[in-house]
Short mmCIF file of all heavy atoms in Angstrom, two decimals:
data_model
loop_
_atom_site.label_atom_id
_atom_site.label_comp_id
_atom_site.label_asym_id
_atom_site.label_seq_id
_atom_site.Cartn_x
_atom_site.Cartn_y
_atom_site.Cartn_z
N TRP A 1 101.32 84.43 102.53
CA TRP A 1 100.19 83.74 101.91
C TRP A 1 100.53 83.20 100.52
O TRP A 1 101.13 83.91 99.71
CB TRP A 1 99.03 84.72 101.80
CG TRP A 1 97.83 84.26 101.03
CD1 TRP A 1 97.53 84.57 99.73
CD2 TRP A 1 96.75 83.45 101.51
NE1 TRP A 1 96.33 83.99 99.37
CE2 TRP A 1 95.83 83.30 100.44
CE3 TRP A 1 96.48 82.83 102.73
CZ2 TRP A 1 94.65 82.57 100.57
CZ3 TRP A 1 95.31 82.10 102.85
CH2 TRP A 1 94.40 81.98 101.79
N ALA A 2 100.16 81.97 100.27
CA ALA A 2 100.21 81.38 98.93
C ALA A 2 99.11 80.33 98.86
O ALA A 2 98.69 79.81 99.91
CB ALA A 2 101.56 80.74 98.65
N VAL A 3 98.64 80.02 97.66
CA VAL A 3 97.52 79.06 97.54
C VAL A 3 97.92 77.76 96.85
O VAL A 3 97.09 76.87 96.71
CB VAL A 3 96.32 79.69 96.81
CG1 VAL A 3 95.73 80.81 97.65
CG2 VAL A 3 96.69 80.18 95.43
N HIS A 4 99.18 77.65 96.43
CA HIS A 4 99.64 76.42 95.80
C HIS A 4 100.67 75.75 96.70
O HIS A 4 101.62 76.38 97.14
CB HIS A 4 100.22 76.70 94.41
CG HIS A 4 99.22 77.33 93.48
ND1 HIS A 4 98.14 76.65 92.98
CD2 HIS A 4 99.14 78.59 93.00
CE1 HIS A 4 97.43 77.45 92.21
NE2 HIS A 4 98.00 78.64 92.21
N HIS A 5 100.45 74.46 96.96
CA HIS A 5 101.31 73.74 97.90
C HIS A 5 101.77 72.42 97.29
O HIS A 5 101.00 71.74 96.62
CB HIS A 5 100.55 73.44 99.20
CG HIS A 5 99.75 74.59 99.72
ND1 HIS A 5 100.32 75.71 100.29
CD2 HIS A 5 98.41 74.81 99.74
CE1 HIS A 5 99.37 76.55 100.64
NE2 HIS A 5 98.19 76.03 100.31
N SER A 6 103.02 72.08 97.54
CA SER A 6 103.56 70.80 97.08
C SER A 6 102.99 69.66 97.93
O SER A 6 102.69 69.84 99.12
CB SER A 6 105.08 70.83 97.21
OG SER A 6 105.61 69.52 97.10
N THR A 7 102.86 68.48 97.33
CA THR A 7 102.41 67.31 98.09
C THR A 7 103.58 66.57 98.73
O THR A 7 103.38 65.55 99.39
CB THR A 7 101.63 66.33 97.17
OG1 THR A 7 102.45 66.02 96.05
CG2 THR A 7 100.33 66.94 96.70
N ASP A 8 104.80 67.06 98.53
CA ASP A 8 105.97 66.41 99.12
C ASP A 8 105.92 66.45 100.65
O ASP A 8 105.42 67.42 101.23
CB ASP A 8 107.27 67.10 98.66
CG ASP A 8 107.48 66.99 97.16
OD1 ASP A 8 106.84 66.13 96.54
OD2 ASP A 8 108.29 67.77 96.62
N ASP A 9 106.47 65.42 101.28
CA ASP A 9 106.67 65.45 102.72
C ASP A 9 107.60 66.61 103.06
O ASP A 9 108.63 66.78 102.41
CB ASP A 9 107.34 64.15 103.18
CG ASP A 9 106.33 63.11 103.65
OD1 ASP A 9 105.25 63.06 103.04
OD2 ASP A 9 106.63 62.38 104.61
N VAL A 10 107.24 67.39 104.06
CA VAL A 10 108.12 68.50 104.46
C VAL A 10 108.31 68.50 105.97
O VAL A 10 107.48 67.96 106.72
CB VAL A 10 107.57 69.87 104.00
CG1 VAL A 10 107.69 70.03 102.50
CG2 VAL A 10 106.13 70.06 104.45
N HIS A 11 109.41 69.12 106.41
CA HIS A 11 109.73 69.23 107.82
C HIS A 11 109.73 70.70 108.24
O HIS A 11 110.44 71.51 107.65
CB HIS A 11 111.10 68.61 108.11
CG HIS A 11 111.13 67.11 107.98
ND1 HIS A 11 111.15 66.26 109.05
CD2 HIS A 11 111.12 66.33 106.87
CE1 HIS A 11 111.16 65.01 108.62
NE2 HIS A 11 111.16 65.02 107.30
N ASN A 12 108.90 71.04 109.20
CA ASN A 12 108.86 72.38 109.78
C ASN A 12 108.81 73.48 108.73
O ASN A 12 109.64 74.39 108.72
CB ASN A 12 110.07 72.59 110.70
CG ASN A 12 110.18 71.49 111.73
OD1 ASN A 12 109.26 71.27 112.51
ND2 ASN A 12 111.29 70.76 111.72
N PRO A 13 107.84 73.43 107.81
CA PRO A 13 107.77 74.45 106.75
C PRO A 13 107.46 75.83 107.31
O PRO A 13 106.75 75.96 108.31
CB PRO A 13 106.63 73.95 105.86
CG PRO A 13 105.75 73.16 106.78
CD PRO A 13 106.70 72.49 107.75
N LYS A 14 108.01 76.83 106.65
CA LYS A 14 107.81 78.21 107.09
C LYS A 14 107.08 79.05 106.05
O LYS A 14 106.99 80.27 106.18
CB LYS A 14 109.16 78.86 107.43
CG LYS A 14 109.81 78.26 108.68
CD LYS A 14 111.10 78.98 109.02
CE LYS A 14 111.56 78.71 110.45
NZ LYS A 14 111.69 77.31 110.78
N GLY A 15 106.54 78.39 105.02
CA GLY A 15 105.79 79.12 104.02
C GLY A 15 106.69 79.78 103.00
O GLY A 15 107.91 79.60 103.02
N PRO A 16 106.11 80.56 102.07
CA PRO A 16 106.90 81.22 101.02
C PRO A 16 107.91 82.20 101.60
O PRO A 16 107.74 82.68 102.72
CB PRO A 16 105.84 81.96 100.19
CG PRO A 16 104.53 81.37 100.58
CD PRO A 16 104.69 80.87 101.97
N SER A 17 108.93 82.51 100.82
CA SER A 17 109.98 83.43 101.30
C SER A 17 109.57 84.89 101.18
O SER A 17 110.21 85.78 101.75
CB SER A 17 111.28 83.18 100.53
OG SER A 17 111.04 83.32 99.14
N SER A 18 108.51 85.17 100.42
CA SER A 18 108.04 86.55 100.28
C SER A 18 106.57 86.54 99.90
O SER A 18 106.00 85.49 99.58
CB SER A 18 108.86 87.30 99.23
OG SER A 18 108.68 86.69 97.97
N GLY A 19 105.95 87.70 99.94
CA GLY A 19 104.54 87.80 99.59
C GLY A 19 104.02 89.18 99.90
O GLY A 19 104.78 90.09 100.25
N THR A 20 102.72 89.34 99.79
CA THR A 20 102.09 90.62 100.12
C THR A 20 101.17 90.51 101.34
O THR A 20 100.97 91.49 102.05
CB THR A 20 101.25 91.15 98.93
OG1 THR A 20 100.31 90.14 98.54
CG2 THR A 20 102.15 91.47 97.74
N ASP A 21 100.61 89.31 101.58
CA ASP A 21 99.71 89.10 102.70
C ASP A 21 100.26 88.03 103.62
O ASP A 21 101.02 87.17 103.21
CB ASP A 21 98.33 88.63 102.19
CG ASP A 21 97.57 89.71 101.44
OD1 ASP A 21 98.14 90.79 101.20
OD2 ASP A 21 96.41 89.46 101.08
N ARG A 22 99.83 88.08 104.87
CA ARG A 22 100.18 87.05 105.85
C ARG A 22 98.97 86.16 106.13
O ARG A 22 97.83 86.60 106.04
CB ARG A 22 100.64 87.69 107.16
CG ARG A 22 101.93 88.51 107.04
CD ARG A 22 103.16 87.65 106.87
NE ARG A 22 104.40 88.47 106.90
CZ ARG A 22 105.62 87.98 106.88
NH1 ARG A 22 105.81 86.67 106.84
NH2 ARG A 22 106.66 88.78 106.88
N VAL A 23 99.26 84.92 106.48
CA VAL A 23 98.19 83.94 106.74
C VAL A 23 97.59 84.16 108.13
O VAL A 23 98.30 84.35 109.11
CB VAL A 23 98.75 82.50 106.66
CG1 VAL A 23 97.67 81.48 107.03
CG2 VAL A 23 99.32 82.21 105.27
N LYS A 24 96.25 84.12 108.17
CA LYS A 24 95.55 84.08 109.46
C LYS A 24 94.71 82.81 109.49
O LYS A 24 94.28 82.31 108.44
CB LYS A 24 94.69 85.33 109.67
CG LYS A 24 93.58 85.52 108.65
CD LYS A 24 92.77 86.79 108.92
CE LYS A 24 91.61 86.92 107.93
NZ LYS A 24 90.78 88.11 108.19
N LYS A 25 94.51 82.27 110.67
CA LYS A 25 93.83 80.98 110.83
C LYS A 25 92.77 81.04 111.92
O LYS A 25 92.82 81.89 112.82
CB LYS A 25 94.85 79.90 111.20
CG LYS A 25 95.94 79.64 110.16
CD LYS A 25 95.49 78.72 109.03
CE LYS A 25 95.44 77.28 109.45
NZ LYS A 25 95.10 76.36 108.32
N GLY A 26 91.81 80.11 111.84
CA GLY A 26 90.92 79.85 112.95
C GLY A 26 89.53 80.45 112.88
O GLY A 26 88.65 80.03 113.63
N GLY A 27 89.32 81.44 112.03
CA GLY A 27 88.01 82.06 111.98
C GLY A 27 87.70 82.87 113.23
O GLY A 27 88.55 83.04 114.11
N SER A 28 86.47 83.37 113.31
CA SER A 28 86.12 84.26 114.42
C SER A 28 84.66 84.14 114.79
O SER A 28 83.92 83.34 114.22
CB SER A 28 86.41 85.72 114.02
OG SER A 28 85.36 86.22 113.18
N TYR A 29 84.23 84.98 115.72
CA TYR A 29 82.83 85.01 116.15
C TYR A 29 81.89 85.41 115.02
O TYR A 29 80.68 85.28 115.15
CB TYR A 29 82.66 85.98 117.34
CG TYR A 29 82.91 87.44 117.01
CD1 TYR A 29 81.89 88.25 116.50
CD2 TYR A 29 84.17 88.02 117.21
CE1 TYR A 29 82.12 89.58 116.18
CE2 TYR A 29 84.40 89.34 116.90
CZ TYR A 29 83.38 90.12 116.39
OH TYR A 29 83.61 91.44 116.07
N MET A 30 82.44 85.90 113.91
CA MET A 30 81.63 86.28 112.76
C MET A 30 81.47 85.16 111.74
O MET A 30 80.75 85.33 110.74
CB MET A 30 82.25 87.50 112.06
CG MET A 30 82.11 88.79 112.85
SD MET A 30 83.01 90.14 112.05
CE MET A 30 82.22 90.16 110.44
N CYS A 31 82.11 84.03 111.93
CA CYS A 31 82.08 82.98 110.92
C CYS A 31 80.81 82.14 110.99
O CYS A 31 80.39 81.73 112.08
CB CYS A 31 83.29 82.07 111.07
SG CYS A 31 84.81 82.81 110.45
N HIS A 32 80.23 81.87 109.83
CA HIS A 32 79.04 81.04 109.71
C HIS A 32 79.22 80.17 108.46
O HIS A 32 79.82 80.61 107.48
CB HIS A 32 77.79 81.91 109.58
CG HIS A 32 76.51 81.13 109.60
ND1 HIS A 32 75.98 80.53 108.48
CD2 HIS A 32 75.66 80.85 110.62
CE1 HIS A 32 74.84 79.92 108.81
NE2 HIS A 32 74.62 80.09 110.09
N LYS A 33 78.69 78.97 108.50
CA LYS A 33 78.88 78.05 107.38
C LYS A 33 78.38 78.63 106.07
O LYS A 33 78.93 78.35 105.00
CB LYS A 33 78.17 76.72 107.67
CG LYS A 33 78.53 75.63 106.68
CD LYS A 33 78.00 74.27 107.10
CE LYS A 33 78.47 73.18 106.12
NZ LYS A 33 78.02 71.84 106.54
N SER A 34 77.36 79.48 106.12
CA SER A 34 76.78 80.03 104.91
C SER A 34 77.67 81.07 104.24
O SER A 34 77.52 81.35 103.06
CB SER A 34 75.44 80.70 105.23
OG SER A 34 75.65 81.85 106.04
N TYR A 35 78.60 81.65 105.01
CA TYR A 35 79.40 82.72 104.42
C TYR A 35 80.90 82.49 104.60
O TYR A 35 81.67 82.56 103.65
CB TYR A 35 79.02 84.09 105.02
CG TYR A 35 80.00 85.15 104.61
CD1 TYR A 35 80.05 85.57 103.28
CD2 TYR A 35 80.93 85.67 105.51
CE1 TYR A 35 80.99 86.49 102.87
CE2 TYR A 35 81.87 86.61 105.10
CZ TYR A 35 81.89 87.01 103.78
OH TYR A 35 82.82 87.91 103.38
N CYS A 36 81.32 82.26 105.82
CA CYS A 36 82.76 82.16 106.11
C CYS A 36 83.01 80.89 106.90
O CYS A 36 83.21 80.93 108.10
CB CYS A 36 83.22 83.40 106.88
SG CYS A 36 84.94 83.37 107.39
N TYR A 37 82.97 79.75 106.19
CA TYR A 37 83.11 78.45 106.85
C TYR A 37 84.59 78.19 107.13
O TYR A 37 85.19 77.25 106.63
CB TYR A 37 82.49 77.38 105.95
CG TYR A 37 82.36 75.99 106.54
CD1 TYR A 37 82.20 75.79 107.91
CD2 TYR A 37 82.37 74.89 105.71
CE1 TYR A 37 82.06 74.52 108.43
CE2 TYR A 37 82.24 73.61 106.22
CZ TYR A 37 82.08 73.43 107.58
OH TYR A 37 81.95 72.16 108.09
N ARG A 38 85.17 79.07 107.94
CA ARG A 38 86.62 79.01 108.16
C ARG A 38 87.01 78.73 109.61
O ARG A 38 88.12 79.03 110.01
CB ARG A 38 87.27 80.31 107.66
CG ARG A 38 87.17 80.49 106.14
CD ARG A 38 88.02 81.67 105.68
NE ARG A 38 87.99 81.83 104.23
CZ ARG A 38 87.15 82.63 103.58
NH1 ARG A 38 86.25 83.34 104.25
NH2 ARG A 38 87.20 82.74 102.26
N TYR A 39 86.08 78.14 110.35
CA TYR A 39 86.43 77.70 111.70
C TYR A 39 86.82 76.22 111.69
O TYR A 39 86.73 75.53 112.69
CB TYR A 39 85.29 77.97 112.70
CG TYR A 39 83.91 77.61 112.18
CD1 TYR A 39 83.40 76.34 112.36
CD2 TYR A 39 83.14 78.55 111.51
CE1 TYR A 39 82.15 76.00 111.87
CE2 TYR A 39 81.88 78.23 111.03
CZ TYR A 39 81.38 76.95 111.21
OH TYR A 39 80.15 76.61 110.73
N ARG A 40 87.27 75.74 110.53
CA ARG A 40 87.82 74.40 110.38
C ARG A 40 89.35 74.48 110.48
O ARG A 40 89.95 75.48 110.11
CB ARG A 40 87.44 73.81 109.01
CG ARG A 40 85.96 73.59 108.81
CD ARG A 40 85.61 73.33 107.35
NE ARG A 40 85.84 74.52 106.53
CZ ARG A 40 86.80 74.63 105.60
NH1 ARG A 40 87.61 73.61 105.35
NH2 ARG A 40 86.93 75.74 104.92
N CYS A 41 89.96 73.39 110.93
CA CYS A 41 91.43 73.38 111.10
C CYS A 41 92.16 73.69 109.79
O CYS A 41 93.19 74.38 109.79
CB CYS A 41 91.89 72.04 111.64
SG CYS A 41 91.17 71.57 113.22
N ALA A 42 91.66 73.17 108.66
CA ALA A 42 92.35 73.34 107.38
C ALA A 42 92.07 74.70 106.74
O ALA A 42 92.76 75.09 105.80
CB ALA A 42 91.94 72.23 106.41
#
């Protein structure tokens, strides 16, 4: 996990080389726009 990203064109990025947390995507059955609007692709 990281929250700062370069605007450069990249090929097949694999994210930072180290960290403490891993990225999860897609949201869940618990997501609602009022609280966890994370069922968006981005």
Side-chain angles (χ1 to χ4, degrees):
W1 172 261
V3 294
H4 300 290
H5 316 288
S6 165
T7 54
D8 296 343
D9 265 36
V10 289
H11 290 256
N12 307 302
K14 291 183 163 55
S17 57
S18 62
T20 55
D21 291 6
R22 296 286 186 174
V23 176
K24 62 180 183 179
K25 298 279 284 185
S28 79
Y29 65 86
M30 289 174 58
C31 284
H32 187 276
K33 190 171 184 177
S34 67
Y35 170 69
C36 177
Y37 188 29
R38 293 189 177 94
Y39 43 89
R40 295 167 293 112
C41 301

